[in-house]
Amino acid sequence: MSDVDRLAGLPQDQRILLAPLVRTTKWFWIWAAVLAAVTAWGAFAYALQVQSGLGVTGLNTPEYWGIYIICFVFFIGISHAGTLISAILRISNAEWRRAITRSAEFITVLVIAFGAVQPVLDLGRPDRLLFIILHGQPWSPLLWDVCSIGLYFTASSVYLYVPMIPDLALIRDLGIRPRWLYWFLAIGYQDSPRTRRMLQRIIAVLAVAVIPIAVSVHTVIAWIFAMTLRPMWHSTIFGPYFVVGAIYSGIAALILAMAILRRVYRLEAYFKLVHFNNMGLMLLLMSLLWTYFTFAEYLTAWYGGEEAELATFWSKLTGPFAVPFWLMVASCFVIPFALMCRKATRGVRGTSIASVFVVFGMWLERYTIVVPTSLHPRIEMASTHYVPSWVELSIMAATFSGFILVYMVATKFFPIISLWEIQEGREEAVREVSERVASYLPDEVRVAGS
Amino acid sequence: MPRWGMVIDLDRCNGCQACEVACRSENNVPVCGPNAAALNRTISWMRVVTEVEGEWPEVRTRFLPRPCMHCERPPCTAVCPVGATAIDEEGIVGQIYARCIGCRYCANACPYTVKSFNWRRPDYPASTLPMLNPDVSTRPVGVIEKCTFCHHRLQRAREQARVENRPLREDDYVPACAEVCPTSAIVFGDLDNPNHRVAQLVKDPRAFRLLEALGTQPKVYYLTESR
Amino acid sequence: MGWPIGRREFLASVGGAGVGLGLGALSHSFPLPPPEVKPAWSPGREEFVTSSCLLCPSHCGIRGRLVDGKLVRIDGNPLHPINRGGLCPKGVAGIQLLYHPGRLTGPMERTGPPGSNQFRRVSWEDALGRVTRVLTDLRSRGEARSVVWLAGDVSGIMAEMLRRFARLYGTPHLIQENYADGSAEVLRLSQGIGAPPAFDLAASDLVLSFGAALSEAWWCLPQAARARDAAPGRRPRWVQIDVRHSRTAARADEWVPVRPGAYGAVALGIAYVLLKEGLYDAERLNAQVEGIEDWKDETGRVVPGFRKLILRYGRTEDVSQRTGVPAETLVRLAKSFGTMSRPVAVWDQSVAWRSGGLPDALAIHALNVLVGALDRPGGILVQPPLPVPPLDGPAGGTAGGDRTAPFPAPGDLVALVANESAPPVKALFLHYANPAASSPDAEKVKGVLERVPLVVSFSPFLDESSRYAHLVLPDHTYLERWQDAPAPPTVPIPVWGLVQPVVPPLHDTRATGDVILALASGLGGEVAAGFPWSGVEDLVKERGKKLAASRSGSVFVPAFRRDELRELEARGWWLPHGLSPDEFWASIRQSGGWFDPHYDYNDRSAASQFADGRIRVFSLQARRRVASTVPDLEEGFLPLEKTPEPAEPAGDYPLRLIPYRVMTLASGGTALLPWLLEDLGVLTGDAWETWAEINPGTGRRLGLVSGQMVRIESETGGFRARLRFFPGAQPGAVNVPYGLHSAVEGWGRAGGSNPLAAVGPRRDPSTGLPDWYSSRVRVVPA
Ligand SMILES: Nc1nc2c(c(=O)[nH]1)N[C@H]1C(S)=C(S)[C@@H](COP(=O)(O)OP(=O)(O)OC[C@H]3O[C@@H](n4cnc5c(=O)[nH]c(N)nc54)[C@H](O)[C@@H]3O)O[C@H]1N2
Ligand SMILES: Nc1nc2c(c(=O)[nH]1)N[C@H]1C(S)=C(S)[C@@H](COP(=O)(O)OP(=O)(O)OC[C@H]3O[C@@H](n4cnc5c(=O)[nH]c(N)nc54)[C@H](O)[C@@H]3O)O[C@H]1N2
Ligand code: SF4
Ligand code: SF4
Ligand code: SF4
Ligand code: SF4
Ligand code: SF4
Ligand SMILES: [Mo]
């Protein structure tokens, strides 16, 4: 019998959540084809760049870094969606997390990979990539970066994988194809109260371990810039500033993912308004944090009034970069704040719109960090501009499409919502929560008899 | 142990750019062409930076020949992930082209923007190959290059001195730009050797260094013009 | 056991992961293995050969660095008394001329139509045979005069050979461009000396330069550069009076902006203060100078003297009015010029190359006369001739050759052909000349080139003119041939630089000198008899040996020996060098040339060669000469227009065109050298293409933006350029660099255009010099 009718008889959760694994619509194929095409085009562009050098980009002196580095910071930022958020929620025992952690963790794992290749695309000599390991120079923030990203990737893969084992085991037992895959990935897990407890413990440890790693990643990326003496890069708050920005864009990305999944896989019953509302509140919080950091950053630059700093500063506020800068302010603060501070607009549509702006705005933020400073060296005011070439833009497009493509495919092989955690929620959480609540209440005080 | 350094007298300098061209010739700097020029991608280890201020008829111009400053505390070397740029024990900041992965981090870290990147495959017309200086390796596409204080000349001078077994003299090691300067505006030598002219010139009240406040401690000094 | 995972599957998955990682690791070394450092090389055999640079009139001493016999760099020759080891960017880039991919590899014969680049290789024998035949039967038919030689930058032996060849062959038409700037004419009129002035810059304490591009395109760039080469206190003070913020002005101690064509007026204004304040030595003046006070002419009519005229016309306010120079500046300049101990006023064709340039120059030189700068240290001297007789031509000409012959030669060519009475031109020889590109009326020149039955070019490149030639007999470059390089006349001492092959010829080319010898012997008879040498090398060597016998001067020596030598000769000593002629020749080749550091101030012939030994300011002769040629001047000859034109006139062509040279370009095809093209304009940072500097105010008023392409048009013609807003450009003027007029296939594509298209062939009637600095233009978006 086919996988489809296999599902028929199952309880709701399994029926709905496993559906994508066995049923594929024609729209899926259409989208996949389009995205694949874009990705292939980008690959071609890169091939061209490899064989004729970075001259095919719009880069120049002193604009040594451009789109690739911008995307690098951006994508690694997005990657903070999953692991970090889900870990925090897990540790804080936020019950509403159960439906969203899996999709979040998937974003992380897949996007890191795409983020991590950006600096490689940016290399003048990709063929010498291995030198970073062979001749690694521990003083270089770039090397710190390689390490922390590598660690983060491993950790979050494990962190994605381990909580998925029970579901994989379930699928294996249901005999859904490709059987060998699930057999292989389930690594012989047998569900039982004891194994569950074991698993819970491992997850708990991972959750705690993964948070500092996640924080370190974006801090180190910030340091790549902050360790130079360049105006408006050389800043002490860059580490936390970048982390905040990262989480901010991560949440936005997650909201978008949820909204889309909800739509295409009819998951209204699982991604409920409450989820969007809560995420919206987090978005609100982050928008305020981000604005606070941005303000602090620019105020100090301006107040210090150092010549070089001011040149960069004004080029952003009133100069050639005024448009991207104020667009950024609008889409990272004004719009999301306006939408998220009202419950009415914290629905699916509201949060999605806000998230679109935030994601876009955070890309712009990276742009206004990288480019203006590059074009304002301390000596010899640059007479040049930076106009990304079609090669750079193609490769950027390919990165986006590539990411979406693999994410789509992933949802075809793995339940995008954790079955066993939902189930666990149904069975135990209610009891647990009421016990927990009870434990908050004041104990009865026995009065000694008269 | 010598500490090689340079003094450039802005009062003598008349902005003729001979130093730029001499450096191109000595160090096999590739011709980048008009398109590169339009994109500001021309490679130049020595560049005469021109600062024009004021309005007609009150116009002031200053020419500032700018090689690599060979900072005593170079921000550029620390950030290199593969150690393809490093400062040697005599204070010369060098580039290892075969090691460079072309990340351009050093270029961004240099506050003096003296580093050039090989955006395209350098091309030397066949008939011009014989004029390449055999003492200096050409650079492949995708790596960073910059002024090396004509380090190869030091090596040659050392060999020469060893052959004639005598100590290295002040005028044994003179970079191409200093050699060609028609007004002798560029002086080169050992900053720690009181007998060398540079050591005396850096004590001149006109002496200053670029962006001294950054603490990079450049070993290229300037003497202000007398106006 | 409590572990939730079955052993078998666990191992399986670990194994799987292992394989995966393994593959991943492998994939790292893709696509290329790290490059291995190339095997150790042995430092090649290094040698140095001295010679001279011929890319501009300065003729600096150079030193080729050869490694294993290949020329890899051009240095300055440290022993050369003028440049002393320094070079300009052109001199260094000269090596790119030698190795230029566009060089012709042998004699070429045109197969396509005139102006095309369809040529085929021919053997030297055939080529020379053909030329000799034509020359022989033209001569036998008594049509020798129909042969024309057009020579660009030639001096010394090469110039003498050309003169002798022309004379012996029997044609008067040797048209030679030798950098005339009219200054010789000024000395003739005021000192009776037919030679251009030498400027003793280094010994002066105040250099007052009237638009002379001392650091850009002067006759002797290293001479000016070395005058700078001293600590602030110990070098002359530089004042640059210029119509633009030139590079020279930029690094002068003071820059005095002035309206175009107003140099003479400024000079009068300064003279006014000198005379009024009595800042001059009255006795000396009365003793040596004519024309200060009124005098009677042959008809007995009283002629107003310089003093009276100046006091009438030179009033500070009026002059300030005309020139745009503030009154106080004029006074300050005059006071320092009058009170310094060794001031000198310098000018060149920036003054001379306009109609009305002559009175300007006379007025400027009058300042030198007033402060007694003639024939004194740090003043105006005259370069003594070489102590050996020239082959031919005007004997006693200075080492630099006389600069009285006016430019542009190509113009004369056009005139010659246009002239009906003159016999038609049957054969034309182009040496170092590219008139099809460099002539202000290039189109006419091309017409001429098409009509002449035999055009022969000696250019090593297929330049614009060579494309019209029937035969191209490529010359060696200056790095491959024998020649000599005398210092330009602005140098106060005779310097004879040697040009010897730094490398053996790279291609099947021949030195034009040797070609001339071949033609001579081919022609036979007296012509052959006049050229008994087997090669130019013999002539050069012969001259070197004659210098050995001259009992003066010395081969190039280190600085300290130079001063020693000067001291000695000043005391009338001359230590015999005690070398045989051959040894002396060897040491010339070693050191790079011969020079004589001694200047004899007792020989007053450098002050005046008039019979009465006196000096004249605005002599009758000068006054008449000017009055008869230049209209509308005060008194007919003073450099003051009766109706001065407004600073910013209206009309179709409201702007002034100010063409100028950049240091990085020179005549002689340096526009072909990529290193220079990458560094073209240091002030505006332009490269590879022609740009036009305009004052930001003017630019905005015309609704133009910096960086856009524009067409610059005059009545005569127009050209394209990239517009640059530049505060150093004066309102109502456009500054355009020239030199990018010539281009050759092979290496980089310079987007150059020719400003002379808008300048046109006008000449100054009183001197016959080109009139380049009075063009009016408009700027329109392209
Ligand atoms: N680098 C270099 N040196 C050269 C040459 C070269 O091509 N390049 N060529 C050599 C040759 S062939 C020659 S003929 C000489 C020519 O050398 P110069 O005599 O220097 O000729 P230009 O450079 O044309 O001089 C023009 C100068 O006069 C100023 N000027 C422009 N318009 C006016 C005006 O209306 N009035 C006055 N008084 N001044 C004005 C300009 O600012 C400019 O600086 O240089 C020789 N040396
Ligand atoms: N646009 C423009 N026109 C100009 C000038 C300018 O600066 N710009 N300058 C004007 C002045 S002042 C002058 S003096 C004249 C000069 O005008 P020309 O005497 O025509 O000098 P160039 O125009 O430099 O052309 C010289 C030619 O000689 C060739 N050549 C180079 N090396 C050698 C060699 O070793 N031997 C021989 N036989 N030929 C060689 C080159 O191919 C070059 O084309 O031009 C005048 N016209
Ligand atoms: S060579 Fe000398 S004078 Fe010319 S620009 Fe360089 S430093 Fe200045
Ligand atoms: S100048 Fe720039 S490149 Fe040179 S040492 Fe200093 S930091 Fe490094
Ligand atoms: S570009 Fe080359 S030298 Fe510079 S940091 Fe990167 S690897 Fe090092
Ligand atoms: S020192 Fe050598 S490498 Fe550095 S600028 Fe001068 S010539 Fe070029
Ligand atoms: S100044 Fe003239 S002669 Fe001297 S190097 Fe430059 S081009 Fe050659
Ligand atoms: Mo000339």
Side-chain angles (χ1 to χ4, degrees):
Chain A
M1 68 196 241
S2 79
D3 291 350
V4 183
D5 11 308
R6 258 205 201 80
L7 286 191
L10 298 174
Q12 172 199 324
D13 288 350
Q14 303 183 358
R15 210 176 52 250
I16 296 181
L17 299 181
L18 294 182
L21 278 62
V22 299
R23 205 180 301 104
T24 306
T25 64
K26 86 168 183 306
W27 279 110
F28 178 91
W29 292 114
I30 293 172
W31 273 105
V34 173
L35 294 169
V38 177
T39 317
W41 173 252
F44 161 73
Y46 181 65
L48 193 86
Q49 173 179 307
V50 167
Q51 63 105 288
S52 55
L54 282 168
V56 297
T57 65
L59 297 168
N60 58 45
T61 314
E63 181 61 49
Y64 297 104
W65 285 344
I67 292 287
Y68 301 138
I69 298 300
I70 294 168
C71 287
F72 168 57
V73 183
F74 174 76
F75 282 111
I76 300 292
I78 297 286
S79 78
H80 280 57
T83 311
L84 192 57
I85 296 164
S86 89
I88 293 170
L89 294 180
R90 274 224 173 78
I91 290 172
S92 61
N93 265 312
E95 281 303 330
W96 57 278
R97 72 162 195 277
R98 294 178 181 279
I100 64 177
T101 47
R102 174 78 44 85
S103 50
E105 290 150 11
F106 257 114
I107 295 185
T108 303
V109 174
L110 298 182
V111 109
I112 295 182
F114 283 90
V117 299
Q118 299 298 321
V120 179
L121 300 177
D122 185 66
L123 287 187
R125 304 292 311 185
D127 54 307
R128 298 176 182 176
L129 183 59
L130 203 57
F131 285 16
I132 295 180
I133 292 134
L134 297 183
H135 310 289
Q137 203 257 115
W139 270 111
S140 172
L142 267 185
L143 207 75
W144 311 345
D145 209 57
V146 174
C147 302
S148 60
I149 290 182
L151 191 57
Y152 186 48
F153 181 67
T154 331
S156 35
S157 312
V158 175
Y159 185 69
L160 165 70
Y161 174 63
V162 171
M164 199 158 48
I165 293 175
D167 290 354
L168 293 168
L170 172 74
I171 299 170
R172 174 197 58 195
D173 302 343
L174 288 174
I176 291 175
R177 271 178 287 269
R179 299 214 174 90
W180 64 269
L181 177 68
Y182 298 112
W183 169 83
F184 177 73
L185 289 175
I187 50 173
Y189 175 87
Q190 299 301 343
D191 205 17
S192 77
R194 229 181 65 266
T195 53
R196 276 284 179 91
R197 240 177 291 111
M198 184 77 74
L199 202 66
Q200 301 277 23
R201 230 176 292 127
I202 299 175
I203 294 174
V205 176
L206 283 174
V208 176
V210 91
I211 291 176
I213 298 176
V215 170
S216 81
V217 171
H218 234 62
T219 312
V220 173
I221 289 182
W223 286 348
I224 292 182
F225 299 95
M227 295 299 162
T228 68
L229 291 166
R230 303 296 294 275
M232 300 203 75
W233 281 2
H234 189 52
S235 150
T236 49
I237 68 163
F238 250 37
Y241 184 28
F242 271 46
V243 174
V244 167
I247 301 176
Y248 192 20
S249 58
I251 295 173
L254 178 51
I255 293 177
L256 287 176
M258 284 163 59
I260 296 167
L261 291 167
R262 182 175 198 263
R263 190 92 183 291
V264 296
Y265 294 142
R266 309 245 130 272
L267 298 175
E268 291 82 358
Y270 294 82
F271 293 142
K272 299 164 67 179
L273 287 180
V274 57
H275 293 111
F276 287 93
N277 182 56
N278 295 2
M279 295 296 283
L281 286 171
M282 291 172 79
L283 210 55
L284 180 63
L285 172 70
M286 297 316 293
S287 76
L288 290 171
L289 261 177
W290 179 87
T291 312
Y292 161 73
F293 270 103
T294 309
F295 179 75
E297 175 67 8
Y298 282 76
L299 178 71
T300 41
W302 170 77
Y303 196 97
E306 201 215 319
E307 193 179 350
E309 295 266 344
L310 282 187
T312 316
F313 177 87
W314 288 119
S315 75
K316 298 196 204 184
L317 268 71
T318 59
F321 302 100
V323 176
F325 178 83
W326 292 111
L327 260 179
M328 167 191 81
V329 173
S331 30
C332 287
F333 173 59
V334 183
I335 297 171
F337 182 82
L339 287 170
M340 291 305 98
C341 64
R342 289 175 48 247
K343 184 151 192 13
T345 45
R346 278 204 302 272
V348 180
R349 166 160 322 95
T351 45
S352 309
I353 295 174
S355 303
V356 171
F357 277 104
V358 171
V359 171
F360 172 63
M362 287 310 295
W363 192 92
L364 282 178
E365 189 221 34
R366 275 60 193 250
Y367 174 87
T368 53
I369 285 175
V370 173
V371 179
T373 297
S374 298
L375 286 180
H376 289 84
R378 290 179 185 269
I379 296 191
E380 183 181 37
M381 276 309 178
S383 60
T384 47
H385 310 287
Y386 171 53
V387 185
S389 74
W390 68 268
V391 172
E392 288 165 287
L393 297 176
S394 312
I395 292 181
M396 177 165 82
T399 316
F400 277 95
S401 58
F403 162 65
I404 299 170
L405 185 59
V406 279
Y407 196 84
M408 275 169 61
V409 173
T411 61
K412 285 284 153 196
F413 286 92
F414 306 101
I416 203 64
I417 292 179
S418 171
L419 278 155
W420 68 272
E421 288 187 85
I422 296 284
Q423 187 187 6
E424 182 185 60
R426 293 191 193 288
E427 293 162 359
E428 295 155 29
V430 183
R431 198 187 71 253
E432 267 178 22
V433 174
S434 44
E435 282 171 6
R436 201 188 320 149
V437 174
S439 69
Y440 300 154
L441 298 172
D443 299 335
E444 289 175 23
V445 183
R446 258 216 199 75
V447 186
S450 53
Chain B
M1 184 65 65
R3 241 175 81 253
W4 302 108
M6 186 181 271
V7 178
I8 303 178
D9 186 342
L10 301 183
D11 187 70
R12 277 187 169 83
C13 174
N14 64 18
C16 73
Q17 297 171 293
C19 44
E20 285 188 32
V21 176
C23 182
R24 291 174 193 279
S25 177
E26 176 70 8
N27 295 293
N28 303 331
V29 174
V31 172
C32 297
N35 305 347
L39 286 164
N40 199 19
R41 284 179 179 174
T42 304
I43 298 179
S44 207
W45 291 14
M46 167 67 99
R47 170 164 272 131
V48 179
V49 178
T50 310
E51 295 159 0
V52 184
E53 304 161 349
E55 282 299 321
W56 182 279
E58 257 74 45
V59 186
R60 280 216 168 298
T61 297
R62 178 206 221 187
F63 297 116
L64 193 103
R66 189 206 49 192
C68 166
M69 300 291 137
H70 293 270
C71 307
E72 200 62 15
R73 298 177 53 237
C76 59
T77 53
V79 299
C80 178
V82 294
T85 175
I87 182 168
D88 70 12
E89 62 285 353
E90 299 187 3
I92 294 179
V93 178
Q95 294 285 141
I96 307 167
Y97 311 118
R99 175 76 68 83
C100 176
I101 60 172
C103 64
R104 310 185 296 295
Y105 196 178
C106 56
N108 272 326
C110 169
Y112 305 91
T113 43
V114 303
K115 295 207 163 193
S116 305
F117 185 69
N118 285 273
W119 298 101
R120 293 194 175 278
R121 241 176 220 86
D123 118 82
Y124 304 90
S127 72
T128 67
L129 290 177
M131 82 188 217
L132 291 178
N133 180 355
D135 304 353
V136 179
S137 68
T138 57
R139 279 74 61 186
V141 64
V143 303
I144 280 282
E145 60 184 79
K146 69 159 187 72
C147 159
T148 60
F149 266 177
C150 291
H151 188 258
H152 55 282
R153 289 195 171 201
L154 175 56
Q155 290 160 346
R156 261 192 181 273
R158 281 247 162 79
E159 269 163 33
Q160 197 57 34
R162 202 177 304 112
V163 172
E164 299 167 15
N165 65 60
R166 55 169 175 79
L168 202 64
R169 287 195 236 89
E170 179 174 11
D171 50 7
D172 283 347
Y173 171 28
V174 182
C177 54
E179 191 174 52
V180 80
C181 177
T183 63
S184 311
I186 305 179
V187 185
F188 187 85
D190 175 3
L191 294 166
D192 286 348
N193 183 335
N195 306 328
H196 281 204
R197 278 187 58 218
V198 282
Q200 295 145 16
L201 286 171
V202 296
K203 299 202 192 71
D204 188 305
R206 293 192 293 136
F208 73 98
R209 292 183 288 183
L210 290 181
L211 305 177
E212 230 154 338
L214 294 182
T216 53
Q217 301 177 13
K219 285 196 291 297
V220 174
Y221 289 72
Y222 293 89
L223 304 179
T224 52
E225 56 269 80
S226 69
R227 270 272 177 75
Chain C
M1 230 330 273
W3 191 250
I5 296 171
R7 225 165 250 78
R8 198 171 123 267
E9 292 83 350
F10 181 74
L11 291 178
S13 48
V14 170
V19 174
L21 283 178
L23 290 171
L26 282 183
S27 73
H28 267 302
S29 57
F30 163 93
L32 297 176
E36 65 289 342
V37 181
K38 66 174 177 181
W41 53 272
S42 64
R45 195 175 37 77
E46 187 182 39
E47 63 186 309
F48 291 88
V49 181
T50 62
S51 186
S52 307
C53 176
L54 294 183
L55 292 176
C56 94
S58 311
H59 292 175
C60 296
I62 59 173
R63 208 178 49 160
R65 177 186 179 231
L66 289 82
V67 176
D68 297 336
K70 293 199 183 65
L71 179 66
V72 297
R73 192 180 70 243
I74 296 177
D75 294 340
N77 174 4
L79 297 184
H80 192 282
I82 307 304
N83 64 299
R84 297 183 229 146
L87 284 185
C88 90
K90 305 185 292 303
V92 180
I95 191 173
Q96 290 190 312
L97 198 77
L98 175 71
Y99 289 114
H100 197 289
R103 271 189 70 182
L104 294 172
T105 54
M108 295 289 199
E109 187 173 62
R110 201 181 72 229
T111 55
S116 75
N117 58 359
Q118 298 150 23
F119 282 74
R120 68 177 175 88
R121 269 297 292 275
V122 289
S123 74
W124 276 102
E125 290 57 40
D126 301 353
L128 288 177
R130 179 172 166 191
V131 177
T132 320
R133 253 178 278 111
V134 173
L135 286 180
T136 321
D137 59 65
L138 279 177
R139 192 148 180 269
S140 56
R141 282 196 264 105
E143 298 184 29
R145 302 173 57 82
S146 70
V147 174
V148 177
W149 284 78
L150 186 60
D153 170 19
V154 291
S155 57
I157 288 176
M158 198 57 207
E160 295 167 23
M161 281 181 74
L162 285 169
R163 277 198 218 101
R164 172 172 285 193
F165 186 87
R167 184 174 57 83
L168 294 178
Y169 179 80
T171 174
H173 299 311
L174 167 58
I175 307 172
Q176 186 191 337
E177 158 50 35
N178 39 19
Y179 304 124
D181 70 356
S183 55
E185 186 60 10
V186 173
L187 261 66
R188 209 175 52 71
L189 289 168
S190 47
Q191 297 167 253
I193 300 172
F199 301 98
D200 192 7
L201 298 181
S204 157
D205 59 0
L206 172 59
V207 175
L208 188 58
S209 157
F210 290 80
L214 292 171
S215 314
E216 287 149 286
W218 198 50
W219 301 115
C220 194
L221 295 166
Q223 187 190 354
R226 284 305 173 193
R228 260 204 108 70
D229 175 11
R234 269 176 271 111
R235 60 165 178 78
R237 188 178 150 70
W238 297 68
V239 178
Q240 179 74 4
I241 304 173
D242 208 323
V243 293
R244 62 187 185 101
H245 186 70
S246 65
R247 233 191 68 239
T248 312
R251 291 305 293 120
D253 295 288
E254 182 179 358
W255 164 55
V256 180
V258 58
R259 296 213 185 104
Y263 288 81
V266 174
L268 294 187
I270 293 175
Y272 175 84
V273 179
L274 292 179
L275 290 168
K276 197 136 175 75
E277 308 275 318
L279 297 173
Y280 62 93
D281 176 344
E283 272 111 75
R284 202 202 64 251
L285 220 56
N286 298 333
Q288 301 178 352
V289 183
E290 297 239 316
I292 299 288
E293 311 302 340
D294 305 356
W295 78 92
K296 289 204 178 60
D297 66 3
E298 53 284 353
T299 66
R301 192 168 49 83
V302 175
V303 181
F306 189 63
R307 179 195 303 279
K308 180 179 286 169
L309 292 171
I310 292 298
L311 293 182
R312 184 179 319 149
Y313 291 100
R315 257 182 251 89
T316 313
E317 304 67 32
D318 310 353
V319 171
S320 166
Q321 250 281 335
R322 274 177 183 277
T323 59
V325 181
E328 50 278 14
T329 309
L330 282 169
V331 175
R332 184 163 37 78
L333 286 183
K335 288 210 164 130
S336 53
F337 195 75
T339 50
M340 289 295 229
S341 55
R342 284 195 245 89
V344 62
V346 183
W347 79 98
D348 66 3
Q349 60 232 76
S350 48
V351 168
W353 285 15
R354 334 179 355 262
S355 61
L358 182 57
D360 282 311
L362 287 167
I364 293 167
H365 194 47
L367 294 179
N368 288 321
V369 174
L370 281 178
V371 297
L374 307 192
D375 202 27
R376 74 134 154 77
I380 303 281
L381 310 178
V382 175
Q383 184 185 91
L386 281 182
V388 293
L391 277 185
D392 259 71
T398 62
D402 79 299
R403 291 191 337 225
T404 45
F407 175 79
D412 300 348
L413 174 68
V414 174
L416 189 70
V417 175
N419 176 356
E420 303 306 332
S421 58
V425 177
K426 294 261 177 77
L428 172 60
F429 293 82
L430 300 173
H431 176 61
Y432 252 113
N434 182 15
S438 59
S439 163
D441 48 6
E443 286 319 309
K444 276 218 193 68
V445 169
K446 287 176 185 166
V448 170
L449 294 178
E450 281 182 18
R451 252 176 293 143
V452 176
L454 176 68
V455 178
V456 179
S457 164
F458 295 108
S459 172
F461 300 93
L462 202 56
D463 58 33
E464 289 75 359
S465 308
S466 303
R467 288 158 192 259
Y468 287 83
H470 301 86
L471 275 176
V472 187
L473 310 179
D475 194 355
H476 294 328
T477 63
Y478 68 99
L479 295 165
E480 302 164 302
R481 68 174 184 246
W482 286 95
Q483 205 172 315
D484 63 346
T490 55
V491 175
I493 57 169
V495 179
W496 187 72
L498 174 69
V499 179
Q500 63 181 329
V502 176
V503 286
L506 296 187
H507 305 297
D508 181 19
T509 56
R510 280 196 199 175
T512 306
D514 294 341
V515 171
I516 290 177
L517 292 177
L519 292 176
S521 68
L523 284 161
E526 54 182 320
V527 185
F531 289 94
W533 304 275
S534 64
V536 180
E537 176 176 2
D538 299 357
L539 269 108
V540 180
K541 195 167 174 183
E542 192 176 291
R543 183 153 298 184
K545 290 182 175 172
K546 285 211 186 101
L547 285 168
S550 72
R551 306 193 44 77
S552 68
S554 148
V555 299
F556 293 168
V557 291
F560 65 94
R561 292 272 290 100
R562 258 180 243 137
D563 309 335
E564 217 168 272
L565 217 65
R566 188 182 303 102
E567 293 307 311
L568 281 174
E569 293 200 41
R571 293 202 187 71
W573 289 87
W574 182 78
L575 298 187
H577 45 68
L579 298 175
S580 75
D582 286 308
E583 291 164 336
F584 193 82
W585 172 242
S587 61
I588 284 186
R589 290 191 63 177
Q590 257 292 320
S591 63
W594 176 97
F595 79 122
D596 184 352
H598 171 56
Y599 187 89
D600 181 4
Y601 292 100
N602 306 326
D603 167 10
R604 299 303 300 162
S605 72
S608 167
Q609 286 176 16
F610 286 119
D612 60 6
R614 286 162 71 83
I615 300 160
R616 292 155 174 55
V617 283
F618 282 97
S619 65
L620 269 182
Q621 190 191 9
R623 297 182 181 200
R624 294 191 178 126
R625 170 85 174 277
V626 175
S628 63
T629 46
V630 190
D632 186 43
L633 296 181
E634 297 289 357
E635 299 287 320
F637 59 85
L638 287 176
L640 305 167
E641 278 135 12
K642 284 219 184 72
T643 52
E645 61 183 12
E648 293 192 33
D652 290 358
Y653 301 100
L655 301 174
R656 281 238 182 211
L657 177 64
I658 298 185
Y660 69 96
R661 276 186 175 73
V662 284
M663 165 68 92
T664 35
L665 288 178
S667 308
T670 46
L672 315 174
L673 310 185
W675 283 337
L676 301 176
L677 295 169
E678 303 233 65
D679 281 347
L680 269 190
V682 75
L683 277 172
T684 55
D686 281 277
W688 287 96
E689 60 181 358
T690 302
W691 70 96
E693 300 159 6
I694 194 166
N695 183 281
T698 313
R700 283 192 212 89
R701 209 188 64 234
L702 296 171
L704 301 163
V705 292
S706 194
Q708 81 182 107
M709 286 305 287
V710 294
R711 253 191 82 72
I712 296 171
E713 298 168 341
S714 73
E715 292 110 333
T716 355
F719 62 95
R720 281 167 57 86
R722 186 171 300 283
L723 196 68
R724 287 269 175 248
F725 283 11
F726 178 58
Q730 77 172 276
V734 204
N735 308 339
V736 183
Y738 44 38
L740 282 170
H741 56 293
S742 176
V744 164
E745 308 297 312
W747 203 354
R749 258 167 296 82
S753 48
N754 188 348
L756 289 190
V759 169
R762 266 176 293 98
R763 307 275 200 98
D764 168 8
S766 49
T767 55
L769 292 170
D771 174 6
W772 278 9
Y773 302 135
S774 42
S775 317
R776 302 209 144 283
V777 295
R778 64 169 165 235
V779 180
V780 296

